[in-house]
Amino acid sequence: MTLPASVEEIAEVIGREDALYLIGQLPTCQAGKAGHRSTRVMLYVPKRLKPNHRLVQILGEAQAAKLIEGFGGEILQPANCQEVYRRWRDSEARRMASDGMAPADIAEIMNVTARHIRNLTREVNSRGLRAANDDCDQ
């Protein structure tokens, strides 16, 4: 999966997995007019790091130090990666369903409705089905 450019910049410094984890841990804020709101994350990267700083708690001292080296003193506004998360969540839900897990159990784990899980598995099943008369030679 391709990351948004704003997240890719962070991933180049601390790695893809840590960048995604960091963004998932950041508080979100909503901006925009009613009906056109978007969820955003913002991160101030200090120039100096204290041992009890939130970045150290999230990433560990070594990764937080890399982030400060790369972005110290900047305010970052990375993409919130919700689309990346949704694609991962849906593919994992499909995998769990194909392994025989019940839709209600998957829904509880993924924090979605059982209906969403049934719709996902219906998409997978309908792709593999052919019409009964599809094998006729013409």
Side-chain angles (χ1 to χ4, degrees):
M1 280 183 239
T2 305
L3 294 177
S6 60
V7 178
E8 190 63 47
E9 290 178 23
I10 297 170
E12 289 173 5
V13 174
I14 63 172
R16 179 186 175 96
E17 190 172 312
D18 284 336
L20 288 171
Y21 181 72
L22 172 64
I23 290 168
Q25 298 303 306
L26 295 175
T28 59
C29 62
Q30 289 193 353
K33 296 179 181 179
H36 298 284
R37 294 201 181 276
S38 64
T39 304
R40 298 178 181 191
V41 295
M42 292 177 65
L43 170 66
Y44 171 69
V45 181
K47 290 183 179 182
R48 291 182 205 92
L49 192 61
K50 294 182 180 178
N52 62 346
H53 192 276
R54 181 83 173 122
L55 285 176
V56 174
Q57 294 171 355
I58 295 171
L59 296 171
E61 197 170 328
Q63 291 297 76
K66 287 181 185 178
L67 196 63
I68 286 170
E69 186 177 315
F71 301 102
E74 294 184 35
I75 297 174
L76 304 178
Q77 294 183 4
N80 61 20
C81 293
Q82 288 180 347
E83 183 59 31
V84 173
Y85 172 72
R86 273 192 293 274
R87 287 185 295 193
W88 172 83
R89 180 200 64 204
D90 291 350
S91 70
E92 283 300 300
R94 287 184 192 103
R95 183 190 59 75
M96 290 175 181
S98 70
D99 288 347
M101 196 172 205
D105 294 336
I106 299 169
E108 186 174 337
I109 291 169
M110 296 294 184
N111 199 27
V112 296
T113 64
R115 181 180 185 167
H116 179 71
I117 302 301
R118 286 191 302 271
N119 288 339
L120 287 174
T121 56
R122 186 177 307 126
E123 289 174 15
V124 170
N125 292 337
S126 67
R127 289 182 201 146
L129 295 177
R130 298 184 315 152
N133 62 354
D134 204 21
D135 59 351
C136 297
D137 292 329
Q138 293 183 4

